[in-house]
């Protein structure tokens, strides 16, 4: 009877111990995997700051270490891409401003005109509640709206007196000239209506 009782007691203890070891072993596998799953979800949402806290020398530990290195590298690459994008945008806008200034210098009567049109256009667009993408399109269209004056004869643009009908007709063509100049540039397709129609009456 005593042996039977001892056997049952030790059997139950061994079962409990086995269950405990089994649960611990399972948790040691499932918890790291859960962390890795959460990490991949964070990456999918664009958050590369998530790091996996697993201190283990097995394959899962190696996987966690590789995951942390990958997210660190991705975060660095994203920062570099964003920085390059901002630099490209600044260079793009700088080039457009330089071109607009060159056009304005060609016509002394409207010197600084493109910058002033841009300021007024952006103010009006903000008052209308337009989003940032629309504001950017309007800003570039306003800066380049008179680029077609490149194709107008300097003698006509700089003429101090009244223009003849033929000369006035030549000046009136500058929106179409600007449209044709910019049309081949894929990045500027959105601004073409603003360039071509900036002298059209809405009514």
């Amino acid at each position: 009877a005593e042996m039977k009782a001892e056997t049952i007691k030790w059997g139950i203890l061994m079962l409990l111990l086995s269950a405990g070891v089994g649960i611990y072993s399972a948790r040691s596998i499932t918890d790291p995997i859960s962390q890795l799953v959460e990490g991949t979800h964070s990456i999918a949402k664009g958050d590369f700051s998530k790091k996996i806290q697993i201190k283990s020398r097995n394959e899962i530990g190696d996987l966690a270490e590789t995951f942390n290195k990958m997210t660190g590298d991705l975060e660095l690459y994203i920062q570099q891409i964003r920085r390059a994008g901002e630099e490209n945008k600044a260079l793009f806008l700088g080039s457009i401003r330089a071109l607009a200034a060159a056009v304005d210098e060609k016509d002394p009567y409207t010197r600084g005109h493109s910058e002033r049109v841009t300021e007024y256009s952006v103010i009006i667009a903000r008052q209308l509640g337009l989003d940032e993408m629309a504001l950017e399109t309007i800003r570039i269209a306003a800066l380049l709206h008179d680029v077609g004056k490149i194709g107008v004869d300097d003698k006509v643009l700089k003429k101090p007196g009244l223009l003849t009908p033929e000369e006035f007709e030549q000046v009136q063509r500058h929106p179409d000239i600007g449209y044709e100049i910019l049309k081949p540039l894929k990045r500027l397709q959105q601004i073409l209506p603003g360039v071509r129609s900036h002298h059209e009456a809405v009514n």
Side-chain angles (χ1 to χ4, degrees):
E2 286 180 12
M3 284 181 66
K4 186 177 180 180
E6 286 294 312
T7 302
I8 291 169
K9 182 178 77 175
W10 285 105
I12 291 170
L13 285 172
M14 289 303 293
L15 282 171
L16 290 172
L17 181 62
S18 297
V21 170
I23 291 168
Y24 175 78
S25 299
R27 290 289 296 274
S28 67
I29 295 172
T30 57
D31 284 355
I33 290 173
S34 296
Q35 285 192 52
L36 287 166
V37 169
E38 286 178 17
T40 54
H41 286 163
S42 296
I43 288 178
K45 293 175 183 174
D47 178 12
F48 299 95
S49 62
K50 179 80 173 175
K51 296 293 183 284
I52 308 299
Q53 304 298 328
I54 299 173
K55 294 180 180 177
S56 174
R57 295 183 180 180
N58 60 19
E59 290 84 353
I60 294 177
D62 291 342
L63 183 60
E65 189 177 337
T66 304
F67 181 89
N68 288 337
K69 185 177 184 311
M70 180 190 72
T71 54
D73 290 343
L74 281 172
E75 192 172 15
L76 180 63
Y77 295 149
I78 293 295
Q79 288 174 357
Q80 290 173 346
I81 289 168
R82 283 176 180 160
R83 196 178 303 117
E86 288 169 3
E87 289 172 0
N88 283 339
K89 183 180 176 183
L91 180 63
F92 175 65
L93 289 174
S95 301
I96 286 173
R97 283 198 171 90
L99 179 59
V103 172
D104 286 352
E105 285 298 319
K106 182 177 168 70
D107 184 359
Y109 178 71
T110 59
R111 188 167 293 152
H113 167 72
S114 294
E115 286 286 351
R116 291 191 296 274
V117 168
T118 302
E119 287 179 28
Y120 285 126
S121 299
V122 171
I123 289 168
I124 292 167
R126 284 206 173 103
Q127 287 294 318
L128 290 171
L130 300 182
D131 60 31
E132 283 301 316
M133 190 176 292
L135 283 174
E136 195 66 17
T137 300
I138 288 167
R139 180 181 286 111
I140 296 170
L143 276 168
L144 291 178
H145 76 281
D146 268 347
V147 72
K149 285 183 177 179
I150 290 172
V152 178
D153 192 341
D154 279 1
K155 292 177 183 177
V156 175
L157 282 178
K158 296 178 181 180
K159 185 176 179 180
L162 293 173
L163 300 177
T164 65
E166 292 78 15
E167 290 169 339
F168 188 63
E169 186 179 343
Q170 188 179 345
V171 172
Q172 283 183 309
R173 289 189 58 245
H174 78 269
D176 284 330
I177 296 170
Y179 175 85
E180 293 300 328
I181 289 171
L182 300 175
K183 188 168 67 171
L185 304 176
K186 290 183 179 179
R187 190 170 177 181
L188 298 178
Q189 295 303 301
Q190 295 283 343
I191 74 160
L192 292 179
V195 173
R196 191 175 200 176
S197 306
H198 71 270
H199 278 295
E200 298 297 329
V202 177
N203 61 4

